[in-house]
Structure formats: C-alpha cells, structure tokens
C-alpha cells in the first residue's frame, strides 16, 4: 500500500514532483513581487530607516574619549577614583602623548565640548591645555606641568569624570533624558532645579491628548455634516476644510498671534463690547491655551478627513431602519450611527495624536514657557547645544512612549478597527 | 543630420557658457535687513568686479553650527562662507569645523598700513573668526505709556522695576545676558558678575531677581519678535539687537526709544568651513579680502546700524543710504551710547552654557 502511494507521486509534465514545482513557482512569484517593490524598499531603507537608526545609535555611542585619548584611557584602567589620589606620572605622560596628537588633528577641543555636557569647565580646560601642551618639556615630569597649565588637572574630580566617560558606550545620555546623571559614584537624580525632561514628557502627552480630544469634538460634527449634505454643497465645504492645507504653517500660526494677543483682535472686540475691562484683557497666547488653540486648528483636517471618509460609507438606511423600529433621533445616532463611525475616530485620533506629539514649530512660536513640548528641547539640542547624544536619547524615549501608547490603544480600540476610508 | 549638428553645437555652446559662468559661491547669513546690507555693501560690488563669480545667499546662519557639523560628517561641504556670531565661531573652531585663518596674510591692511590683526584688535576672539560688525543686545521702550506718568527708563534696572514702570517686558529665552543683567541690578559690581555667577548661590541670586518679573515677561527666541511686540503694544520694554530697534524707530517711525544702558556688546563675522577644495578656498579668500577691507565694512553701516569691526572704518561711517540720516549716533559703539556697556565673556559661557541652560529651562518650566 505504502509502496504504491510513493510510486504514484503526482508529477508535472517534465517529471518534477508537483509539490516542488508548486513551491518553486510560488517562490518565483514572491521574488517577482519583492523585485517589484525593491526600489521603494531600498529607497526607504536608505533614506529613512538607516538615518534614523544611525541617529538613535548616537544615544549610547561614546567612543570620542577612547578615540581621542587612547593611551590615557588604557593607562587609567588601574587608577581608582575612590582612592582620592591623583593618577600617577604614567597617566600624565600618556595624556601628554595623546594630547600632542589630538592638538595636531584639532580633536581635543571637540572632546572638551563633549565632556562639558557632563562637567562644567571641561571645555575651557581642553582648549587651554591644548595651547599649553606644545610648550611643555618633552622630558617631563608631566604631572607638575599639567597642573601648572591648569589647576583642574590636579583635581581628582576631573580625572574621575574622564574615567567615568571613557567606555565606548554610555548610558549617560539616557540618564540625562530621564533627569538623572552618571557620576563617578554611580547613578544619581539631578538636583531638583535641573529636572525638566520628565516633566516635559508628561506635559507633551497631556497637551497632545487634549489637542486630540479638541479636534475630535470640533471635527466630528463637521465630518457628519459633510457626509450628510448633497455632493455639491459638501464639495464646497470640503474646500474650506482643505484650504488650511494650502496655507503656510507659519502664516497660520502668526495669524493666531494677531488674533489672540492681548492687544489683538479678539481682546479688542471683547473690550469694545464691554465683556472684559481694559485692565482685564485675557491672556490667550504664549501659554498652554495658545498652543492648544493653534495646534487644534492646524491638525483639525487630519481628524476631519478620516472621519468623513468613514462616515461616507455608512449607509443612511441603517438610521432610517432604526427610526422605523421606534428609536428616537438620539438613540438612533448613538446606538446605530456612532458605533459605525468608530473606525474613523480611531484613525483620526491616532493621526492627530502622533502628529501632535512631535510638533515643535507651533509650540515654539505661541507656547511661551508653559506651552512648549519635549520636541522643542530636542530641536534645541540638535541645532543649538549640539548635544546630539542627548537629543537622540530624548527622541528614542519619545519613540518608545508613542509605541507603548500605540500598543495600549491596540488593546483598547483594536488596530483592526481603524479605517482611513 | 542637420538637426544633429545643431544639437551638438548648442550643447557645446552651453558647456562653454557653463564653464565661464558657473562659479557659484554660497554665502550663508542671517537673512532680512542684515543680508540686504551685506548684499549692497559686499556682494554687489564684488560681483561687478568679478563677473565670473555668482554669489548665492543662503539664510541659514541660525542653524549653521548644526548644519556644518552634519555636512562635515557627510563629507560634503556645500557652503563657502558662513556668517556667525562670535560664540558660534568659537564652537565651530573647537569642533574643527572652521578653518584657522592667518589674519594678517588673508586680510587687507588698513589704508594707513596697519596690519589687519591690529586693526581688528581684540575682536579676533578665535583663530577661525574674521570679525565684521559689533552689535549689541539692548532694550527699547515705548514712549507713550500713560501709567509711567511721564517718566522714562534710563537705567538697566528700570527693567526690573515693576512699580515705576509697570507693563510687560520681553526677554530672550536663554540665560545669556539675562543672568548678567539680573545680577547687575541686584547689587553685584560689573567686574564681579562672572565670578558670582560661577557659584550656586550667585545663580540662585540671579534667578531670584528674574523671578521678581517672571510673570510680566514674554520670552522671545527670534530677534524680530521684540520689535513686533513693541509695535503691537504687547510689551512696553523689550530686549533685542540694536539694529532691529533702529529699523523700528527710524524706518517704521514707531514711538519707541533706545535704552542703551548696560548694552551687551557682541560680535558677528565670517568663518570659512573646513574641508573646502583648494580651488574653492582660494575663491573665498579672495572674496574675504575684498569684503572685509576698511571701506567695505564702513559701507555696510550705510544700510544697517551695526558698528564696523575695524578701527580704521569708524571715521568713514556716513549717512544712511535711504533715510539720509547720520549713522554714527545710532551705532552701539558711539561714545554717547556706550557710556555703560557690558562685555560678554565668551570663554566663560563656553564652559557654563550647558549647565546654566539646563537650569534656566527648568526654571522657565516651573
């Protein structure tokens, strides 16, 4: 019996077993599909994924110390900061050799600015020592000469900092991003007057959620109206919804400034009508209110469009059927129409929330001090303080926070329930 | 056949034209009235003299340090010359992103033969930096505030005096300058400001002084904001760059006056990015030699009220090109304006910037 089946394996015309032939045909099919999307895939990998991974990698990368002062790092391995003594002459000699090379390649000042993020004063220490090292006596002793060049070389803390940050990978940036710091004695929280990032993360989440809710409250009725009106009228209204898309973001933000400021259009009107007194003009900009208003306006289309496209597919017959079965307007909407529009709410809310959490130009312009986001600090560290490691760490944390929220959202709403149209 | 020759001929012509005209030079600056003044005083005359050069203006100076670092890492420097403030020049030099310059060799001597390094003097704060202008961060105030009862502020500490001069103020959203002014108005002597600011207590003292006006402050991050806020009556006193206030007062005729007391001098100038090809570097150096000579620096002051960085340029400063008013009294360096000035300590801020900025931001967010 078993013999006959093995002999009777189905084959194709050229004698190949059918199973294999099918598998290779499918593989070819898959390869062809892959080849078709290959240009896009390679493009995305090269221009999107690779730079982001590279940037995120900077949050732990710290080879600058070991690259600039290779001999010193090795010589320092034996030295223990807790002993309270300065490293011995051999370490200073290694530092002399390393700095000689670094000054020639002009990398010592770069190291100085890197270490200055961790300990104030390192920047000038390296700049100054770099100028002096050329004039030092090659024969030594180097310890005295370095301490003479700058007394900071005679302080244990300077060496302790150097040793703490000599490994090629560091957790320091992530600790900084969480308001902690890496010290020679271990991980410690920063002093209270320097803690700002966790607070800003919290505020960013809170404001983004508020903006999403505001967008939903304002966008839902508009989308409902658009979907219910005849095509001709709704097209006209649709243009009004899309119009902000064609206006520059900066123009829209500046327009809010003109409207909301204390000597602005809205306050002038309120004073003219006597609702508020001249002295009691409302403060609506350069604070959280300003950020919420301006960003709700800017992100509103991203809520309306998915809502509209979902609502468009809800057949009016359902509501009619509900009514004919005795439901009043309210319960027909709530129990029949609304559940069908939930996928649109899901899509709109995710879109607005994710856009809001990474926004930075609008909060920068209208947020004052109480309305700025974590992204404003990331932008500062990228373009102004040049502390790219910290910016990368903050960015990674933001990315992780968004992913966690996304998973929570998937649990509660279900990602299958999200529809863009 | 005929078509083919024509195509060939026109291609050849285009290529010939290309080699003759395509010497682009990208110069990065701050945009607005400032770039316009450079265009009028330097770029236009230079291009007239050198028809083979085409200068392209890029307005990215605000993010120049970050962009230069990114270009350096990517190994493709697309800028030829960059206008930055002195503290950025020091940082770029530290990071090895700017070229070190031999000032006497690269730049023209003064008309009387004084070498460039002496003509610029102390203003050469970094080996990579070629000073161009002296500007100051100072205050402007509205002259029509009823609540002030006819008094006008004439002392830096009036900014901190909410009783005599009620109303909102605008200050820059960073610790630099604000911390110094706060200490000056809290009884610290000018010479001791940085020594005091080095200590924790000194920093707490400065923050405490700033706390006294915190609720009345609008914080700005772009230089154009204060003039706008003053014009809109949103604030009654505000700090910004003196050239911006000049435009507000003299060009837009707003009821605003200058408070020069304790103005903080700062410098702005050129750096040449490191890693340019030999040929490009030569071209830039030729431009630099022209654009930073005595006459050119004096010419720039015709268009904007910033002081030329060369000593030899000062006597040549004339009238505004359009308004026809004398520019000298509007310069931050004019003796009448510079009675009480504050010198910004670059070295000190290079060390304390990271630390104090973290504290300042935490203080703002509270």
């Amino acid at each position: 019996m078993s013999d006959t089946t093995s002999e009777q394996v189905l084959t194709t015309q050229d004698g190949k077993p059918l199973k294999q032939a099918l598998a290779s045909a499918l593989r070819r099919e898959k390869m062809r599909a892959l080849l078709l999307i290959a240009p896009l895939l390679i493009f995305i990998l090269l221009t999107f994924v690779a730079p982001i991974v590279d940037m995120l990698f900077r949050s732990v990368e710290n080879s600058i110390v070991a690259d600039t002062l290779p001999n010193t790092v090795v010589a320092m391995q034996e030295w223990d900061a807790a002993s309270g003594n300065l490293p011995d002459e051999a370490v200073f000699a290694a530092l002399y050799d390393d700095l000689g090379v670094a000054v020639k390649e002009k990398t010592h000042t770069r190291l100085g600015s890197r270490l200055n993020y961790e300990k104030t004063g390192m920047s000038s220490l390296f700049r100054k020592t770099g100028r002096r090292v050329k004039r030092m006596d090659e024969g030594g002793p180097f310890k005295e000469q370095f301490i003479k060049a700058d007394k900071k070389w005679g302080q244990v803390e300077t060496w302790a900092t150097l040793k703490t940050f000599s490994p090629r990978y560091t957790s320091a940036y992530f600790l900084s991003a969480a308001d902690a710091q890496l010290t020679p004695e271990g991980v410690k929280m920063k002093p209270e007057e320097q803690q700002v990032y966790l607070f800003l993360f919290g505020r960013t989440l809170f404001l983004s959620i508020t903006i999403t809710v505001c967008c939903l409250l304002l966008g839902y009725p508009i989308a409902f109206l658009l979907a219910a009106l005849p095509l001709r009228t709704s097209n006209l209204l649709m243009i009004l919804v899309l119009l902000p898309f064609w206006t520059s973001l900066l123009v829209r933000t500046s327009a809010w400034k003109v409207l909301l400021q204390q000597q602005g259009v809205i306050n002038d009107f309120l004073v003219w009508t006597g609702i508020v007194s001249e002295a009691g003009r409302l403060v609506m900009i350069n604070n959280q209110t300003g950020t919420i208003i301006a960003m709700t306006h800017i992100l509103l289309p991203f809520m309306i469009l998915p809502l509209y496209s979902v609502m468009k597919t809800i057949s009016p017959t359902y509501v009619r059927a509900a009514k004919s079965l005795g439901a009043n307007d309210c319960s027909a909407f709530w129990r029949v129409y609304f559940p069908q529009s939930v996928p649109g709410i899901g899509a709109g809310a995710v879109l607005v929330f994710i856009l809001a959490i990474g926004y930075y130009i609008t909060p920068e312009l209208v947020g004052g001090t109480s309305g700025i986001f974590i992204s404003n600090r990331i932008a500062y560290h990228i373009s102004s303080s040049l502390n790219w490691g910290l910016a990368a760490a903050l960015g990674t944390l933001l990315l992780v926070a968004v992913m966690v929220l996304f998973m929570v959202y998937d649990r509660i709403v279900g990602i299958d329930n999200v529809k863009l149209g | 056949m005929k078509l083919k020759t024509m195509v060939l001929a026109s291609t050849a012509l285009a290529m010939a034209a290309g080699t003759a005209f395509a010497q682009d030079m990208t110069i990065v600056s701050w945009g607005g009235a400032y770039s316009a003044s450079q265009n009028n005083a330097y770029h236009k005359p230079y291009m007239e003299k050198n028809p083979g050069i085409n200068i392209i203006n890029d307005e990215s100076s605000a993010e120049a340090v970050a962009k230069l670092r990114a270009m350096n890492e990517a190994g493709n420097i697309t800028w030829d010359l960059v206008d930055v403030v002195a503290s950025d020049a020091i940082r770029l030099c530290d990071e090895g992103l700017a070229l070190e310059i031999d000032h006497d060799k690269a730049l023209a001597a003064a008309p009387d033969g004084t070498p460039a390094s002496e003509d610029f003097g102390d203003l050469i704060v970094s080996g990579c930096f070629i000073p161009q202008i002296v500007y100051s961060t100072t205050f402007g105030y509205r002259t029509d505030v009823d609540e002030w009862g006819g008094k006008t502020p004439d002392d830096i500490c009036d900014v901190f005096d909410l009783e005599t001069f009620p109303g909102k103020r605008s200050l820059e959203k960073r610790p630099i300058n604000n911390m110094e002014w706060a200490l000056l108005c809290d009884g610290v002597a000018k010479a001791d400001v940085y020594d005091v600011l080095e200590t924790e207590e000194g920093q707490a003292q400065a923050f405490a002084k700033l706390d006294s006006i915190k609720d009345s402050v609008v914080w700005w991050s772009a230089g154009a904001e204060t003039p706008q806020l003053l014009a809109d009556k949103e604030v009654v006193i505000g700090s910004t760059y003196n050239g911006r206030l000049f435009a507000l007062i003299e060009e837009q005729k707003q009821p605003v006056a200058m408070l020069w007391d304790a103005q903080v001098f700062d410098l702005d100038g050129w750096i040449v990015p490191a890693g340019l090809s030999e040929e490009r570097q030569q071209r830039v150096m030729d431009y630099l030699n022209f654009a930073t000579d005595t006459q050119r620096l004096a010419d720039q002051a015709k268009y904007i009220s910033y002081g030329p960085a060369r000593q030899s340029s000062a006597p040549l400063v004339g009238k505004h090109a359009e308004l026809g008013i004398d520019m000298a009294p509007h310069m931050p360096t004019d003796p009448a304006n510079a009675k009480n000035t504050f010198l910004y300590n670059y070295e000190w801020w290079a060390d304390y910037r990271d630390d104090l900025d973290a504290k300042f931001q935490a203080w703002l967010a509270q």
Side-chain angles (χ1 to χ4, degrees):
Chain A
M1 187 74 180
S2 62
D3 280 344
T4 43
T5 39
S6 64
E7 276 161 27
Q8 280 178 355
V9 167
L10 288 170
T11 55
T12 52
Q13 241 172 354
D14 51 356
K16 264 199 215 159
L18 186 61
K19 223 178 182 176
Q20 273 179 23
L22 186 68
S24 72
L26 281 176
R27 208 177 309 128
R28 236 178 294 132
E29 195 87 335
K30 261 189 202 152
M31 282 304 289
R32 199 180 305 151
L34 202 65
L35 276 177
L36 277 172
I37 62 155
L40 180 66
L41 197 68
I42 293 168
F43 178 76
I44 287 180
L45 277 177
L46 282 182
T47 62
F48 188 69
V49 179
I52 287 181
V53 170
D54 177 60
M55 202 65 211
L56 296 185
F57 180 63
R58 286 166 192 269
S59 59
V60 290
E61 198 262 359
N62 185 47
S63 43
I64 182 163
V65 183
D67 285 347
T68 319
L69 308 174
N71 300 320
T72 316
V73 168
V74 174
M76 227 178 2
Q77 264 165 3
E78 300 297 308
W79 178 68
D80 183 17
S83 69
N85 298 323
L86 283 176
D88 52 23
E89 177 67 18
V91 177
F92 280 95
L95 181 68
Y96 175 77
D97 291 341
D98 286 338
L99 273 181
V101 178
V103 169
K104 225 173 267 163
E105 288 169 3
K106 289 181 193 148
T107 49
H108 64 295
T109 41
R110 193 178 283 206
L111 177 65
S113 16
R114 159 68 188 98
L115 289 173
N116 204 58
Y117 300 138
E118 315 296 345
K119 187 170 169 14
T120 300
M122 291 302 242
S123 175
S124 67
L125 174 64
F126 275 89
R127 204 178 307 119
K128 201 165 151 195
T129 316
R131 281 196 299 262
R132 294 287 194 86
V133 84
K134 291 174 218 159
R135 280 182 273 140
M136 282 185 190
D137 181 9
E138 270 177 59
F142 295 110
K143 196 171 186 170
E144 282 74 39
Q145 293 193 70
F146 270 104
I147 295 173
K148 214 179 126 203
D150 195 314
K151 61 178 190 306
K152 283 193 198 121
W153 289 117
Q155 293 165 359
V156 179
E157 302 95 80
T158 309
W159 288 96
T161 308
L162 209 56
K163 186 162 168 120
T164 312
F165 294 97
S166 57
R168 285 190 178 269
Y169 296 97
T170 178
S171 57
Y173 292 123
F174 274 106
L175 289 171
S176 265
D179 288 335
Q181 59 186 346
L182 193 63
T183 62
E185 295 92 50
V187 178
K188 273 199 294 203
M189 281 313 272
K190 277 191 191 158
E192 206 158 314
E193 77 267 13
Q194 281 182 51
Q195 296 186 7
V196 67
Y197 297 117
L198 290 182
F199 172 74
L200 278 181
F201 270 116
R203 181 198 277 164
T204 306
L205 286 182
F206 166 73
L207 283 181
S208 299
I209 290 170
T210 313
I211 289 160
T212 311
V213 171
C214 289
C215 278
L216 181 63
L217 292 179
L218 290 172
Y220 196 92
I222 301 174
F224 183 77
L225 189 71
L226 280 171
L229 285 174
L231 209 58
R232 271 185 54 168
T233 350
S234 73
N235 273 347
L236 192 73
L237 282 178
M238 193 52 134
I239 289 176
L240 294 181
V241 171
L242 289 175
L243 206 59
F245 266 137
W246 303 326
T247 324
S248 152
L249 179 76
L250 287 174
V251 171
R252 278 183 281 161
T253 309
S254 312
W256 277 113
K257 274 200 141 167
V258 176
L259 283 172
L260 294 176
Q261 62 187 4
Q262 281 195 293
Q263 306 291 329
V265 178
I266 293 175
N267 264 315
D268 281 349
F269 178 75
L270 290 177
V271 168
W272 178 71
T273 52
I275 295 172
V276 300
S277 69
E278 183 64 48
R281 283 172 178 262
L282 305 173
V283 184
M284 293 182 289
I285 202 147
N286 296 325
N287 55 18
Q288 288 190 3
T289 322
T291 304
I292 293 171
I293 294 176
M295 280 185 60
T296 301
H297 170 242
I298 285 162
L299 294 176
L300 200 51
F302 295 98
M303 181 63 90
I304 295 176
L305 293 177
L307 272 175
Y308 168 74
S309 60
V310 167
M311 285 175 176
K312 205 69 193 155
T313 61
I314 301 173
S315 165
T317 50
Y318 295 131
V319 176
R320 254 182 266 150
K323 281 186 187 162
S324 75
L325 290 170
N328 59 19
D329 281 353
C330 212
S331 69
F333 170 79
W334 185 246
R335 294 177 62 183
V336 176
Y337 192 88
F338 183 77
Q340 297 188 74
S341 68
V342 166
I345 296 178
V350 168
L351 210 58
V352 170
F353 180 77
I354 287 180
L355 283 172
I357 209 166
Y359 240 63
Y360 99 101
I361 191 74
T362 306
E364 181 71 36
L365 288 173
V366 301
T369 57
S370 64
I372 60 160
F373 283 21
I374 191 73
S375 34
N376 295 91
R377 289 278 84 201
I378 297 179
Y380 168 80
H381 285 302
I382 287 281
S383 65
S384 209
S385 79
L386 285 197
N387 193 350
W388 287 4
L390 180 55
L394 289 170
T396 311
L397 287 184
L398 190 62
L399 189 66
V400 169
V402 172
M403 281 174 164
V404 168
L405 279 171
F406 199 70
M407 270 153 63
V408 172
Y409 183 86
D410 185 33
R411 276 280 168 79
I412 299 169
V413 182
I415 216 68
D416 306 337
N417 267 335
V418 168
K419 231 161 75 181
L420 280 165
Chain B
M1 189 64 199
K2 206 175 172 191
L3 185 76
K4 202 176 167 191
T5 29
M6 264 175 70
V7 170
L8 274 178
S10 59
T11 318
L13 207 73
M15 278 172 71
T19 47
F21 291 104
Q23 306 287 37
D24 284 342
M25 185 151 77
T26 307
I27 296 185
V28 183
S29 188
W30 297 92
Y34 186 65
S35 277
S37 74
Q38 289 178 329
N39 197 31
N40 285 324
Y42 314 151
H43 303 349
K44 274 191 196 159
Y46 185 74
M47 283 196 284
E48 262 167 44
K49 263 179 67 180
N50 300 276
I53 302 280
N54 179 35
I55 292 177
I56 300 168
N57 272 304
D58 188 320
E59 302 181 349
S60 310
S61 278
E63 57 267 11
V65 186
K67 282 197 174 171
L68 275 172
R69 194 202 244 191
M71 282 183 198
N72 180 275
E73 287 193 6
N76 180 21
I77 314 281
T78 56
W79 292 346
D80 294 289
L81 189 63
V82 189
D83 190 295
V84 289
V85 292
S87 55
D88 281 346
I90 293 175
R91 254 141 42 95
L92 286 165
C93 217
D94 276 1
E95 295 252 334
L97 299 172
L99 191 75
E100 291 217 27
I101 304 275
D102 182 346
H103 290 80
D104 284 336
K105 226 157 115 194
L107 308 175
D112 64 0
T114 315
S117 60
E118 271 175 49
D119 204 11
F120 284 110
D122 299 340
L123 305 188
I124 300 174
V125 293
S126 151
C128 305
F129 183 62
I130 301 136
Q132 192 185 150
I133 56 152
V134 177
Y135 71 94
S136 83
T137 307
T138 187
F139 284 89
Y141 59 89
R142 280 196 75 91
T143 50
D144 59 351
V145 186
D146 299 334
E147 289 90 340
W148 294 356
K151 288 198 203 109
T152 54
D154 58 0
D155 188 305
I156 180 68
C157 298
D158 293 342
V159 174
F160 294 89
D161 183 355
L162 283 171
E163 268 173 33
T164 325
F165 301 102
K168 290 218 166 194
R169 285 96 167 95
S170 65
L171 294 175
E172 190 171 4
K173 206 193 273 181
R174 62 172 198 172
I176 299 173
N177 296 351
N178 294 330
M179 304 288 277
E180 288 102 319
W181 282 325
L183 283 185
L184 281 177
C185 291
D186 208 34
V188 176
K190 216 196 295 186
D192 302 336
V193 164
Y194 287 108
D195 291 336
V196 173
L197 212 48
E198 240 168 63
T199 62
E200 297 269 326
E201 301 80 51
Q203 293 167 8
Q205 189 188 351
F207 280 126
K209 185 73 186 173
L210 285 169
D211 258 330
S212 66
I213 55 166
K214 193 179 180 185
D215 291 338
S216 305
V217 174
V218 177
W219 300 95
W220 60 268
S221 43
E225 284 178 62
T226 290
Q228 190 60 47
L229 290 166
L230 280 169
D232 290 349
K233 296 190 191 172
E234 278 291 297
V235 299
V236 290
I237 309 181
S239 72
T240 187
Y241 315 125
N242 71 293
R244 303 272 186 177
L245 288 169
F246 171 81
L248 184 73
I249 298 167
E250 297 297 337
E251 289 169 19
Q252 296 163 28
K253 304 281 177 211
Q254 292 289 326
V256 172
M258 304 283 296
L259 169 62
W260 288 105
D261 190 45
Q263 55 163 324
V264 182
F265 279 151
D266 203 343
L267 306 170
D268 192 276
W270 302 112
I271 61 104
V272 180
L276 291 183
S277 69
E278 196 70 16
E279 185 202 357
R280 272 170 78 191
Q281 198 175 311
Q282 237 163 23
R283 242 181 287 151
V284 173
M285 289 316 219
D286 185 63
Y287 169 86
L288 261 182
N289 188 288
F290 171 82
T292 59
D293 71 11
T294 302
Q295 185 58 48
R296 247 43 64 182
L297 288 186
D299 282 351
Q300 193 188 4
K302 276 194 232 163
Y303 305 96
I304 200 150
S305 64
Y306 294 130
R310 277 180 188 261
Q311 280 153 22
S312 59
S313 299
L316 302 176
V317 171
K319 289 184 188 318
H320 191 277
E322 281 145 37
L323 301 171
I325 50 173
D326 259 332
M327 288 304 277
H330 296 282
M331 294 291 165
T333 43
D334 189 71
N337 301 332
K339 273 183 236 154
N340 179 24
T341 62
F342 190 82
L343 276 181
Y344 168 85
N345 188 335
Y346 298 103
E347 284 267 317
W348 193 90
W349 275 111
D351 276 344
Y352 284 84
R353 184 187 158 112
D354 299 313
D355 181 42
L356 268 185
D357 197 80
K359 288 179 183 157
F360 187 76
Q361 292 301 332
W363 173 79
L364 275 185
Q366 275 162 24

